[in-house]
Amino acid sequence: MFTWLLIQRLSIRIPSSSLTNIRHSVTGEHKYTPSLVSFVKMSLKGTTFTNNSLLGVSRTTQSQSFGVSVHPRTVVAMVNRNGRPESSVGVSVDNVVKELHAPTVVGVVDPKLKEHSAAVDGGVDDVYGGDIATNDDFITPLSVSVASGYALLRDPRHNKGLAFTEKERDAYYVRGLLPPAVVKQDLQVKRTMNNIRQYEVPLHKYQAMMDLQERNEQLFYKLLIENVEELLPIVYTPTVGEACQKYGSIFKRPQGLFISIEDKGRILEILNNWPEKNIQVIVVTDGERILGLGDLGCQGMGIPVGKLSLYTALGGIRPSACLPVTIDVGTNNEKLLNDEFYIGLRQKRANGQEYAELMNEFMSAVKQNYGEKVLVQFEDFANHNAFDLLAKYSPTHLVFNDDIQGTASVVLAGLLAALNLVGGSLADHRFLFLGAGEAGTGIAELIALEISKQTRAPLEEARKKVWLVDSKGLIVKSRLNTLQHFKKPWAHEHQPVTDFLDAVKAIRPTVLVGSSGVGQTFTKEVVKTMSSFNEKPVILALSNPTSKSECTAEQAYTWSEGRAIFASGSPFAPVEYNGKVYLSGQSNNAYIFPGFGLGLIISGAIRVHDDMLLAASEALAAQVTQEHFEKGLIYPPFTNIRNISARIAAKVAAKAYELDLATRHPQPENLVAYAESCMYSPNYRKYR
């Protein structure tokens, strides 16, 4: 319970996050106050801020050198349950309440308490000073004045639009600011979906969804959850790729933190600028390898924003606990450097020691600010940094690379499910990869780990079932001295093969995996060759976005004469071949990372272990039913994704407890039910 201290004649520092975040422990039908900011007036006029503490407060409230007289002031400060002031921004508050019956009030400020009459004299005070300032005058944007519900309607976390009830419209001064109709949230969902479907261009739908997220957070997530199969390709791949390419042109307002190489030495300070303090998941990118589109620099921010939207919608992580971050060290993309609308640093990418020091400062600051249990997900880093960052910080931080580990886990799940269609065990099959980067080597390693686990064979022996092809051909022993370190485990004894089709003929794989980022590389000849020695060839064209897919669903089914077991990274429409309709699965990381992250959070895990990834894969594969197999699917539909995420979270959490990496004790008896109970609900709350 927070305690509000009302103190005369003192300037105190007040946490902005505390004013707006008091609902985290409130669930279900409980009522809560949506925003304490709605009932206080904060003004920075004529105040000099100091590092005040309730345990030794400086009495300096005005700078006498300005010749401003000191007047008595009423100040609100918030302290935590231990009686200590929270870290905060300095704000003095004039005349918070009209009547004061006791020096200390425990609980939530009563919304019925009115502003002092001086705050409203026929209108709202111009606390920003913007209306009377000249272009050269300074104004202060940190003041907040809410004499009505006007600001509440512009607070995306608490805005309900036309769903505010009659009672709430009076209690929160919204009366007259909305049309008289009161509608249910379900009707808002229906109307908003109708509006989004009017757009024909996917990017326009993406922009409409982002606008909704910035206007009404709860409605955004309810819309996404209830229409996930239709909207997932809009808020994430493939549309998010185009959004990143055009991010500078469509940018409206920041949705995360931008940290540049010029901020070196100040990263902890920048993290403190973010209003939320209880962060559980950070998705960070440096924009160097966005999907299959290459170096997009600062404009890669669309990826962390999109991923964290899915953490909330699919995994139930609170939006306020998610932090998107872009590390801007420049870009080598000449087109962006010459683009007048580019929003990032106009310089070539920093690398080497300078880059390493910046990332080390970032990781240290994250741990210092948010603790050991905050999950940091590395996203779309180039190969030369992705592997090094994961290897460096895995022993000391809770880190996860979705391109390496998340992709591997979801592909392994699809392969485990596909065994029900093609028969045999994982060890009975041969795997050939086109692409030996983060995704390819990550998937290959997890397949080998699962084979080793099932057969109890050494990992080195299990790796011999997996072959990789890179831009120079089949990875073999004779190339060992010239290979990057992450490719060396896959250099097997074989004569050199430079052509991919020749590699297919030589290895005779039962499973073909594309992670090359190059479209149309699974040619007609390749698919027909696969089909010549496999009754049911498994073909996974994983590269994103759609334009980078190694082949389309239609090509795979047509060239294999309808025998292929096909899945792709980006979605494809159903295909009709010889009178039969084929549904292709989407090997989308969104199956794994939301539930995986939830499992880490509910167990309080402090490190990620490979066995957790295997557990997640097995949990996802178990959700594919006979009905799905009959349609040729190796992944379950996304319509039930929250239920799937809860089961993945339960398996991951159970493995964390088993490995003694969990810190939340005692372990819940029913981890599935516990995971479901921890999930964020986008349904509107009832306000006091």
Side-chain angles (χ1 to χ4, degrees), residues 467-543:
W467 296 79
L468 280 72
V469 172
D470 64 8
S471 60
K472 294 180 175 61
L474 191 66
I475 295 178
V476 294
K477 284 274 187 169
S478 59
R479 295 178 53 195
L480 196 60
N481 291 336
T482 61
L483 291 174
Q484 294 165 288
H485 67 89
F486 54 86
K487 295 181 182 179
K488 290 183 177 181
W490 311 103
H492 307 317
E493 288 289 353
H494 196 283
Q495 63 186 20
V497 180
T498 56
D499 183 72
F500 179 59
L501 178 59
D502 291 339
V504 173
K505 293 176 180 178
I507 303 301
R508 296 176 66 86
T510 56
V511 178
L512 195 61
V513 181
S515 60
S516 63
V518 181
Q520 295 299 301
T521 43
F522 288 176
T523 62
K524 184 176 182 179
E525 291 75 17
V526 167
V527 175
K528 281 188 170 294
T529 301
M530 278 287 293
S531 303
S532 68
F533 47 75
N534 290 296
E535 181 182 352
K536 293 183 177 180
V538 178
I539 299 175
L540 307 180
L542 303 178
S543 294

Side-chain angles (χ1 to χ4, degrees), residues 456-655:
R456 298 187 178 181
L459 180 60
E460 292 74 15
E461 190 68 24
R463 284 176 177 154
K464 294 179 181 179
K465 297 285 184 179
V466 185
W467 296 79
L468 280 72
V469 172
D470 64 8
S471 60
K472 294 180 175 61
L474 191 66
I475 295 178
V476 294
K477 284 274 187 169
S478 59
R479 295 178 53 195
L480 196 60
N481 291 336
T482 61
L483 291 174
Q484 294 165 288
H485 67 89
F486 54 86
K487 295 181 182 179
K488 290 183 177 181
W490 311 103
H492 307 317
E493 288 289 353
H494 196 283
Q495 63 186 20
V497 180
T498 56
D499 183 72
F500 179 59
L501 178 59
D502 291 339
V504 173
K505 293 176 180 178
I507 303 301
R508 296 176 66 86
T510 56
V511 178
L512 195 61
V513 181
S515 60
S516 63
V518 181
Q520 295 299 301
T521 43
F522 288 176
T523 62
K524 184 176 182 179
E525 291 75 17
V526 167
V527 175
K528 281 188 170 294
T529 301
M530 278 287 293
S531 303
S532 68
F533 47 75
N534 290 296
E535 181 182 352
K536 293 183 177 180
V538 178
I539 299 175
L540 307 180
L542 303 178
S543 294
N544 289 312
T546 310
S547 61
K548 304 293 184 180
S549 183
E550 284 76 12
C551 69
T552 67
E554 182 177 9
Q555 290 169 338
Y557 291 124
T558 301
W559 295 337
S560 68
E561 299 177 342
R563 293 187 284 121
I565 307 300
F566 178 79
S568 57
S570 291
F572 284 103
V575 175
E576 185 176 351
Y577 177 78
N578 279 351
K580 181 179 178 180
V581 177
Y582 294 84
L583 302 177
S584 62
Q586 185 184 0
S587 183
N588 193 318
N589 293 19
Y591 278 114
I592 291 291
F593 71 81
F596 189 83
L598 179 62
L600 296 175
I601 290 171
I602 64 174
S603 63
I606 56 173
R607 299 290 181 271
V608 170
H609 192 281
D610 285 338
D611 285 354
M612 297 176 181
L613 298 169
L614 297 178
S617 298
E618 293 163 3
L620 176 57
Q623 301 305 306
V624 187
T625 66
Q626 186 59 38
E627 180 184 355
H628 303 142
F629 291 133
E630 290 172 358
K631 297 177 181 177
L633 294 172
I634 57 175
Y635 293 101
F638 266 106
T639 49
N640 200 30
I641 185 61
R642 277 204 152 198
N643 183 273
I644 294 169
S645 293
R647 279 155 176 73
I648 291 173
K651 291 294 185 181
V652 171
K655 186 60 66 174

Side-chain angles (χ1 to χ4, degrees), residues 244-245 286-300 328-337 342 347-349 380 382:
C244 288
Q245 288 177 311
D286 70 354
E288 189 170 4
R289 193 199 61 83
I290 297 298
L291 300 175
L293 302 172
D295 187 351
L296 297 184
C298 186
Q299 297 189 167
D328 187 358
V329 296
T331 178
N332 295 332
N333 187 327
E334 290 292 340
K335 183 178 179 181
L336 290 179
L337 291 174
Y342 181 56
Q347 66 176 52
K348 293 291 185 178
R349 280 190 170 271
D380 287 352

